[in-house]
């Protein structure tokens, strides 16, 4: 009896999950095809810990669905990958981000913009060559852009991903390894990849000021990164104490709510005018 009940509940849960997934797939397709502006980009500043000034902005997608309300990117990006929609999502992100990057340059800002790419994107030659064309159209150089990829993406299908990485690096693009510390790769492994930057995952940074384990991990990563000549970004910096530790230990760049939450373009311009950074 007990297991029957469990079974019913489990089936109901599966059904809920299935329905949610289906709704997201259907609505995302609609959002991509329509002109209703359900999708948008927000930008989160990163600061250089030597100059304490803004050096880059991470572009993050937002989806405010008329049918489903706000859907978090972690949720719909994963579903888009599985439903064969990620190419369309990334194409949309690329167009919007590069157009915003051109706007930042027009306004005289010289920070770089970091864009997130999914596993499948770095194996998609058409998509990547569109990226080059979009930049060329706007008269922008590839070094204005940073591409963030997760380490698991490289382990999954090493050969093609690495080939594309090398090709794009030769064209002047820069790659950063996102969520560093959550996957399997080591810094020694990264040495053989055309990667200049690692982003320490926010799970190690959020409680940095109070958690000795996190301090040990972050300190080790920073020392090793120095040996391998890698630039280190810490994400998830939520307080001054963590920021100070990172600065003292030679971390290069910080990003997090202490500096700013991700902002839409209009709010970002206002923030840039008033920030001490
Ligand atoms: P991510 O690339 O690791 O992005 C960092 C996430 O941490 C963002 O969540 C950001 O809002 C959040 N964050 C930044 N600072 C803090 C902080 O101080 N504290 C806390 N608690 N969180 C902080 P978001 O925007 O919800 O994005 C989640 C994930 O969705 C991203 O993780 C990325 O994997 C994916 N994503 C977002 N936008 C895109 C996109 O345009 N393309 C792709 N492929 N993936 C995207
Ligand atoms: Ca990222
Ligand atoms: Ca991350
Ligand atoms: Ca992530």
């Amino acid at each position: 009896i007990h297991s029957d009940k469990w079974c019913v509940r489990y089936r109901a849960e599966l059904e809920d999950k299935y329905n949610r997934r289906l709704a997201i797939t259907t609505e995302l397709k609609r959002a991509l095809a329509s002109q209703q502006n359900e999708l948008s980009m927000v930008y989160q500043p990163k600061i250089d810990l030597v100059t304490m000034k803004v050096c880059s902005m991470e572009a993050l997608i937002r989806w405010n669905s008329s049918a489903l309300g706000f859907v978090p990117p972690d949720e719909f990006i994963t579903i888009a990958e599985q439903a064969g929609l990620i190419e369309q999502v990334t194409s949309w992100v690329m167009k919007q981000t590069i157009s915003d990057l051109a706007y930042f340059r027009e306004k005289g800002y010289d920070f770089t913009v970091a864009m997130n790419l999914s596993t499948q994107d770095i194996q998609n030659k058409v998509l990547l060559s569109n990226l080059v064309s979009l930049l060329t159209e706007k008269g922008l150089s590839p070094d204005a852009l940073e591409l963030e990829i997760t380490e698991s993406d490289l382990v999954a299908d090493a050969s093609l991903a690495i080939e594309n990485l090398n090709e794009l690096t030769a064209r002047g693009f820069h790659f950063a390894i996102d969520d560093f510390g959550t996957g399997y790769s080591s810094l020694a492994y990264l040495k053989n990849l055309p990667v200049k930057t690692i982003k320490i995952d926010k799970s190690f940074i959020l409680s940095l000021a109070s958690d000795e384990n996190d301090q040990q991990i972050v300190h080790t990563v920073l020392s090793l990164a120095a040996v391998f000549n890698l630039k280190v970004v810490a994400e998830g910096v939520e307080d001054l104490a963590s920021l100070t530790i990172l600065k003292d230990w030679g971390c290069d760049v910080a990003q997090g709510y202490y500096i700013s939450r991700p902002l839409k373009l209009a709010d970002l311009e206002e923030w840039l005018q008033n920030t001490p950074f």
Side-chain angles (χ1 to χ4, degrees):
I1 300 155
H2 179 84
S3 85
D4 263 9
K5 239 168 130 183
W6 185 83
C7 205
V8 167
R9 204 161 72 214
Y10 181 64
R11 271 181 54 182
E13 250 171 50
L14 270 185
E15 219 171 273
D16 283 354
K17 243 183 127 174
Y18 174 82
N19 287 335
R20 169 85 176 160
R21 183 173 292 258
L22 191 65
I24 287 180
T25 307
T26 312
E27 290 305 316
L28 185 58
K29 271 188 201 155
R30 215 186 31 72
L32 285 162
S34 81
Q35 303 294 320
Q36 289 178 342
N37 301 327
E38 287 189 9
L39 297 168
S40 62
M41 295 309 293
V42 290
Y43 293 90
Q44 188 178 33
K46 306 184 212 176
I47 60 166
D48 180 317
L49 285 173
V50 173
T51 63
M52 296 302 277
K53 294 290 165 201
V54 172
C55 59
S56 178
M57 296 283 168
E58 178 171 7
L60 296 158
I61 194 169
R62 291 293 177 262
W63 179 24
N64 222 320
S65 160
S66 54
L68 301 169
F70 176 78
V71 186
D74 270 334
E75 186 181 16
F76 76 80
I77 292 286
T78 311
I79 293 174
E81 283 169 345
Q82 292 158 353
L85 292 172
I86 194 65
E87 179 171 2
Q88 281 183 70
V89 173
T90 305
S91 292
W92 188 89
V93 168
M94 276 170 22
K95 268 191 213 131
Q96 191 59 51
T97 302
I98 287 169
S99 147
D100 290 343
L101 174 59
Y103 176 79
F104 293 142
R105 286 294 179 274
E106 260 171 48
K107 291 269 164 167
Y109 295 116
D110 62 358
F111 47 72
T112 59
V113 169
M115 199 170 74
N116 291 283
L117 292 180
S118 295
T119 317
Q120 293 165 41
D121 298 333
I122 49 173
Q123 303 181 43
N124 187 334
K125 286 202 182 282
V126 176
L127 190 79
L128 295 175
S129 84
N130 286 343
L131 176 62
V132 176
S133 312
L134 276 170
L135 281 170
T136 314
E137 268 169 37
K138 297 273 183 188
L140 294 164
S141 135
D143 63 16
L145 203 63
E146 284 171 284
L147 301 172
E148 299 191 358
I149 55 184
T150 38
E151 47 179 336
S152 56
D153 300 351
L154 293 171
V155 182
D157 183 359
S159 54
L160 183 57
I162 292 170
E163 189 189 309
N164 288 341
L165 232 64
N166 281 323
E167 217 174 286
L168 287 170
T169 303
R171 286 177 179 269
F173 286 91
H174 296 285
F175 288 92
I177 298 292
D178 212 345
D179 303 343
F180 187 80
T182 60
Y184 298 102
S185 72
S186 63
L187 286 168
Y189 167 78
L190 292 183
K191 204 177 74 125
N192 301 314
L193 295 175
V195 167
K196 285 189 166 175
T197 307
I198 56 172
K199 285 187 89 169
I200 305 181
D201 192 68
K202 58 176 176 287
S203 58
F204 304 106
I205 306 294
L206 291 172
S207 316
L208 185 65
S210 58
D211 188 316
E212 279 177 29
N213 280 327
D214 288 344
Q215 288 174 12
Q216 231 155 56
I217 293 167
V218 169
H219 194 266
T220 306
V221 170
L222 286 168
S223 325
L224 277 172
V227 173
F228 290 114
N229 233 329
L230 291 162
K231 190 172 130 184
V232 183
V233 181
E235 68 174 18
V237 179
E238 292 192 350
D239 50 64
L240 178 61
S242 305
L243 187 88
T244 308
I245 293 173
L246 290 161
K247 187 176 160 73
D248 288 349
W249 288 354
C251 182
D252 301 284
V253 174
Q255 174 182 2
Y257 295 168
Y258 178 74
I259 298 150
S260 171
R261 291 191 173 252
L263 300 169
K264 58 179 200 275
L265 204 61
D267 295 340
L268 180 67
E269 292 194 82
E270 199 188 317
W271 183 87
L272 282 164
Q273 261 144 34
N274 300 308
T275 180
F277 299 116

